[in-house]
Amino acid sequence: MIIDRYLELNPEYSYIAQEFEETIYQKLVELLPVIRKYKKTVLFFIEVSDYPIGIRNAYQKFLSDYDIEGRIEKKYKPGSVKKGTLYFFISDTYLWEVLRDCRNNEYRIGKEVGILSHNDHVVKEIVFGGITTISTDFKDMAKRAATHIKEQKVTREFVPMNLIKRHSL
């Protein structure tokens, strides 16, 4: 059984996986009115990494389809946070640096700077009044995997992603 990332396998193999491209695209569309509050968007995405390529593809399609100004950056340069920008993070590495720079510059998260993050975490519920996330319910994924093991059936499922709206947009 494959858990987490979908791989094209023979039909007899099971998977419980995340689907990134269509799901992320739909969540960005759902956020469109809020995203339009910002002059531009930045996705932090490293090509040579384990980041799901579907997230990058969804972001690029969203920018094109809705005429949103945006770009993809490999890394964040400390001190370069800009008002009027929405930052979208796959990894939390740069998220904390941007939040620190926002605090140091007294920028208001969700007003002057937007923050969107992939994968939820309890800390993201708390900091700066909460960080908006697009995240798979990993507890649900684990329950589905346990059911698969107990029932010994072929399982071929995608786990839905949730948009958790908080004060960062």
Side-chain angles (χ1 to χ4, degrees):
M1 179 202 281
I2 300 294
I3 299 176
D4 190 25
R5 303 264 175 106
Y6 175 75
L7 299 173
E8 193 78 34
L9 300 171
N10 291 331
E12 68 268 11
Y13 291 103
S14 292
Y15 63 83
I16 298 172
Q18 300 178 72
E19 187 287 316
F20 295 98
E21 195 160 338
E22 184 59 31
T23 303
I24 295 294
Y25 179 84
Q26 290 303 322
K27 299 305 178 189
L28 290 171
V29 170
E30 191 175 331
L31 287 170
L32 182 62
V34 181
I35 291 171
R36 288 207 188 273
K37 289 185 347 185
Y38 300 94
K39 294 176 191 165
K40 59 185 169 184
T41 65
V42 176
L43 169 66
F44 291 100
F45 191 92
I46 301 169
E47 292 290 333
V48 183
S49 70
D50 66 342
Y51 293 1
I53 197 73
I55 295 175
R56 187 204 66 194
N57 295 346
Y59 177 76
Q60 290 176 316
K61 181 177 180 349
F62 173 75
L63 294 180
S64 176
D65 288 355
Y66 291 93
D67 196 29
I68 303 291
E69 184 180 336
R71 67 182 189 278
I72 297 172
E73 295 287 335
K74 291 179 185 171
K75 62 183 195 171
Y76 174 72
K77 180 182 170 197
S80 66
V81 68
K82 300 280 187 239
K83 284 184 180 180
T85 303
L86 182 152
Y87 296 95
F88 182 11
F89 301 92
I90 307 303
S91 166
D92 292 345
T93 303
Y94 301 124
L95 168 64
W96 309 123
E97 291 181 28
V98 169
L99 290 173
R100 180 184 58 221
D101 285 348
C102 286
R103 184 197 64 211
N104 290 344
N105 288 312
E106 297 182 5
Y107 293 164
R108 294 175 299 157
I109 303 295
K111 301 283 186 218
E112 297 170 308
V113 175
I115 304 289
L116 175 61
S117 182
H118 185 255
N119 289 336
D120 201 34
H121 187 278
V122 67
V123 174
K124 293 176 186 176
E125 290 180 41
I126 300 166
V127 298
F128 290 88
I131 303 299
T132 298
T133 61
I134 300 172
S135 185
T136 297
D137 183 341
F138 293 103
K139 288 180 184 176
D140 180 42
M141 185 179 275
K143 287 178 186 176
R144 291 174 188 229
T147 300
H148 166 81
I149 291 166
K150 283 171 39 180
E151 294 179 359
Q152 297 289 311
K153 294 180 183 175
V154 173
T155 304
R156 300 176 69 76
E157 300 177 351
F158 287 106
V159 178
M161 286 192 188
N162 301 312
L163 174 60
I164 304 167
K165 295 179 184 178
R166 299 189 179 114
H167 298 294
S168 68
L169 290 180

